[in-house]
Amino acid sequence: MEGTIDGFRYGVVTPVAAFVMACMGGALGLRCIVRTLLNGGSWKPGWLALGAASIGCGIWTMHFIAMIGFQVEETRIGYHVGLTVLSLAVAVVVVGIGVFIVGYRGAGRVSLSLAGVVTGIGVAAMHYLGMAALQLNGAIEYAPSTVALSVLIAVVAATAALWAAVTIRGFLTSLGASLVMGVAVSGMHYTAMAAVSVHVHGTTPYWAGDSPTSLLLPMLIGPVIFLLLAGVVVMFDPLLVLGDGEWNRPARTGRAGTAEEAVSPPAVRRSWSGG
């Protein structure tokens, strides 16, 4: 028989919390990528890796917070631990591929398109791998057209996010871009969930899977702590806090012609001048 699906078991709590985590990961990731653009002398691979991990953790955390509110009334739900952890690795790796492509090759049409497609398909793969981790007394089926739409949304969202990462540098504009990213990623998730139907088996035998709260909540602690630590790193980095406007502001100095030298590191001046 067809199962009765409820994706909002706790009302708006899980969608709002999922959206916040997606925005948080996106905001931190964008600022880390901006850091490599503001200062060409910074350790670029490290900042790009931190940005990719932040965005990937934000997307993964968003997905599984949203899944806490998912239930099928006729059967209990559990999760396979290995597949759940693997979906986190997939999210970080595929976002990293896209971030490193645009981080080193820029936002040209070819590189941006390639990075967006790879990252978008990877994000969709993370989602459906996370869905494959579901354990319930039934079979999960998907509407192909809705699945295709969710993948398209993921690709468009990933492309827009990567474009914003290498184009938008101001703090407020980065914040706005992270909100758009949160909407896009959450929209992709709930579009994908609209494709789901469950055919429940006649009986409900015991299975060894963990319940959503007993498994997901402890597993979410690690990525959430990582995002908080990444936030601390970003907060205490003076270049990201002050922004390029502050770094380029003339300093009060008694020696003519040295104001820019007093406040703008050589690597920053070279990156702005295109040298």
Side-chain angles (χ1 to χ4, degrees):
M1 64 177 177
E2 289 297 318
T4 304
I5 296 175
D6 183 5
F8 304 93
R9 182 179 183 181
Y10 301 104
V12 299
V13 174
T14 48
V16 170
F19 171 74
V20 169
M21 294 310 300
C23 291
M24 181 178 178
L28 292 175
L30 288 178
R31 296 311 292 169
C32 289
I33 298 170
V34 164
R35 180 63 169 78
T36 68
L37 302 175
L38 293 180
N39 187 352
S42 62
W43 187 41
K44 192 169 189 175
W47 282 105
L48 290 177
L50 181 60
S54 297
I55 296 174
C57 283
I59 294 172
W60 184 88
T61 305
M62 178 281 303
H63 171 82
F64 282 101
I65 287 179
M67 290 304 295
I68 291 177
F70 177 81
Q71 71 171 356
V72 181
E73 293 184 4
E74 293 80 4
T75 178
R76 293 176 59 200
I77 292 177
Y79 288 87
H80 187 280
V81 176
L83 290 177
T84 303
V85 175
L86 180 60
S87 66
L88 172 59
V90 169
V92 173
V93 169
V94 296
V95 171
I97 293 174
V99 166
F100 272 79
I101 289 176
V102 298
Y104 280 96
R105 298 180 62 88
R109 181 176 300 179
V110 175
S111 58
L112 182 60
S113 298
L114 175 62
V117 170
V118 170
T119 304
I121 292 177
V123 170
M126 179 281 299
H127 173 89
Y128 289 105
L129 187 59
M131 292 299 294
L134 275 173
Q135 295 179 326
L136 46 78
N137 184 41
I140 300 177
E141 299 176 351
Y142 297 94
S145 59
T146 311
V147 170
L149 178 60
S150 70
V151 174
L152 177 61
I153 293 174
V155 171
V156 172
T159 304
L162 293 172
W163 173 85
V166 295
T167 305
I168 297 175
R169 302 192 181 190
F171 178 79
L172 292 179
T173 50
S174 292
L175 180 61
S178 68
L179 295 176
V180 174
M181 287 174 59
V183 171
V185 173
S186 298
M188 175 268 166
H189 171 83
Y190 286 105
T191 299
M193 294 308 296
V196 174
S197 60
V198 177
H199 182 75
V200 180
H201 298 159
T203 59
T204 308
Y206 173 80
W207 42 262
D210 297 305
S211 65
T213 53
S214 65
L215 172 64
L216 295 183
L217 289 180
M219 293 185 69
L220 287 169
I221 292 176
V224 170
I225 291 177
F226 171 81
L227 290 174
L228 293 176
L229 293 176
V232 171
V233 171
V234 170
M235 282 174 46
F236 285 93
D237 184 83
L239 184 56
L240 286 178
V241 173
L242 295 176
D244 53 346
E246 287 290 339
W247 280 86
N248 197 34
R249 182 174 295 174
R252 295 178 180 177
T253 178
R255 186 160 57 95
T258 60
E260 184 181 357
E261 295 176 2
V263 295
S264 181
V268 179
R269 295 200 305 274
R270 287 196 301 270
S271 66
W272 288 339
S273 62

